Amino acid sequence: MDRKVTVIGAGNVGATAAQRLGEKELCDVVLIDVIEGVPQGKALDLSEAAPIEKHDAHLTGSNGYEDSAGSDIVIITAGVPRKPGMSRDDLISINAGIVKSVTENVVRYSPDCILIIVSNPLDAMCHVAFETSGFSKRRVMGMAGVLDSARFRTFIARELDVSVESTNAFVLGGHGDTMVPLPRYSTVGGIPITELLSRERIDAIVDRTRTGGAEIVSLLKTGSAYYAPASAAVEMAESILKDKKKILPCAAYLEGEYGINGLFVGVPVKLGRNGIEKVIQIALTDEEQAALNASADAVRGLVDLLKKLN
Ligand code: APR
């Protein structure tokens, strides 16, 4: 294939993302991990599924970054996942060190790539990758909003007993308990859910969306969500690889948009061949802006913590 995506971290999210990229025949895929044999084994296993799944994407696994050279996109999932009772923020110091060293290696071999960060705590890890890479803000983004809005859409569809395909959801803010779902911009067949559901039901769905990651962690007990996170990262990669210019909620570096400066926060962006081609701004109510500011403050708190740890 003439497109190449490297996925760093051949764990649950990384391997599932590699599988989806291959099965959608979007690109060749290189899986990289520090554990010897695991990326090679998973890539071979996925390759052996290709004749049945009917695709010709090449999947290879490696412990070295030479194989990632010339990637169009690098998806970073390397890190330690959350355990029950552990917040995303507890992960910060371990994963910051991992994301920093991974980014240094990635940039050496793929200086023109676009970085999609998945490792948590997401917004803070975007800062680490942004500062380490020295890339423009168009080429560093975090996967959070697509996942959060997919969770929101799932719950809306179940509540109304309609196809998930008829739903659209709008989520702003950081990935975590401070995310800001916007019900008035969340629709079913174009109709805002505020016209279809009571305030009480919407609040319940919004709450479940906010704690969607923790809900999966408490069920799995030995790790965190990976099917939906992988799907979300691949949707972003697809929009870039095919230059589709989808409007997707992503963690983007803001310089004044929504009144926020110098922070990665989840906002709707246009994703195309050049990465983040535009941040879409909408007018917020006072209540929504206050919730977004609180979310941005939480991200700033983590970034400050990161600076102290350094
Ligand atoms: N370089 C490359 N790979 C690494 C490194 C490193 N420096 N450090 C750890 N890894 C690998 C691990 O060996 C493991 O295979 O990252 C992989 C992580 O996989 P899992 O433990 O299965 O975690 P996963 O569920 O995939 O989540 C990965 O995404 O959603 C977030 O919070 C989650 O931060 C976590 C990340």
Side-chain angles (χ1 to χ4, degrees):
M1 317 224 82
D2 62 354
R3 296 273 160 186
K4 176 171 175 179
V5 173
T6 292
V7 182
I8 314 289
N12 283 334
V13 178
T16 310
Q19 178 184 359
R20 300 216 199 291
L21 288 165
E23 289 179 358
K24 286 173 182 266
E25 216 169 41
L26 290 175
C27 52
D28 288 336
V29 184
V30 180
L31 252 184
I32 293 183
D33 201 286
V34 280
I35 304 176
E36 240 170 80
V38 166
Q40 293 88 342
K42 291 193 181 182
L44 182 59
D45 195 7
L46 286 168
S47 302
E48 290 165 355
I52 304 166
E53 296 300 336
K54 304 183 180 64
H55 70 80
D56 286 298
H58 287 220
L59 293 114
T60 48
S62 177
N63 303 115
Y65 283 80
E66 313 78 52
D67 299 293
S68 71
S71 294
D72 297 285
I73 297 176
V74 177
I75 301 175
I76 300 183
T77 77
V80 182
R82 266 200 295 174
K83 305 266 160 38
M86 198 177 176
S87 79
R88 287 194 186 85
D89 306 352
D90 294 335
L91 292 176
I92 191 165
S93 59
I94 304 171
N95 284 357
I98 292 174
V99 169
K100 185 169 191 289
S101 78
V102 163
T103 305
E104 284 165 356
N105 282 307
V106 163
V107 167
R108 191 166 307 137
Y109 289 98
S110 301
D112 300 319
C113 74
I114 289 170
L115 291 171
I116 299 177
I117 314 302
V118 178
S119 309
N120 272 315
L122 193 269
D123 310 279
M125 293 308 109
C126 290
H127 274 270
V128 173
F130 181 56
E131 281 176 9
T132 309
S133 65
F135 283 4
S136 87
K137 62 182 179 179
R138 294 159 74 101
R139 292 201 283 134
V140 183
M141 65 198 74
M143 184 294 291
V146 176
L147 170 61
D148 294 333
S149 73
R151 286 181 172 146
F152 198 18
R153 292 172 63 190
T154 305
F155 303 142
I156 292 168
R158 286 187 180 186
E159 185 76 21
L160 290 167
D161 189 26
V162 296
S163 165
V164 289
E165 290 183 59
S166 295
T167 63
N168 245 300
F170 198 109
V171 180
L172 286 170
H175 188 41
D177 306 340
T178 61
M179 77 177 75
V180 186
L182 292 197
R184 69 193 176 99
Y185 282 119
S186 300
T187 59
V188 173
I191 307 159
I193 58 167
T194 46
E195 304 281 317
L196 301 169
L197 288 167
S198 67
R199 174 91 197 222
E200 202 179 42
R201 288 314 303 153
I202 291 174
D203 286 349
I205 292 173
V206 162
D207 268 358
R208 192 171 178 194
T209 303
R210 278 210 185 95
T211 55
E215 183 178 5
I216 306 277
V217 170
S218 70
L219 289 167
L220 294 181
K221 296 187 182 66
T222 53
S224 52
Y226 55 99
Y227 292 115
S231 292
V234 169
E235 184 176 33
M236 291 167 66
E238 181 176 27
S239 189
I240 295 167
L241 290 169
K242 292 186 177 170
D243 196 25
K244 283 177 81 80
K245 304 192 193 297
K246 278 190 177 182
I247 308 297
L248 296 171
C250 302
Y253 189 75
L254 301 186
E255 289 179 302
E257 298 93 339
Y258 291 97
I260 296 166
N261 213 353
L263 274 186
F264 275 88
V265 174
V267 291
V269 302
K270 181 161 83 174
L271 276 192
R273 180 160 299 140
N274 301 312
I276 295 179
E277 299 187 352
K278 189 175 183 171
V279 172
I280 311 294
Q281 294 201 68
I282 55 154
L284 298 180
T285 64
D286 290 347
E287 197 186 342
E288 289 161 355
Q289 185 67 49
L292 184 60
N293 291 347
S295 185
D297 286 345
V299 177
R300 195 178 298 284
L302 286 184
V303 173
D304 289 345
L305 176 65
L306 264 179
K307 283 185 190 143
K308 269 192 218 135
L309 290 170
N310 282 334

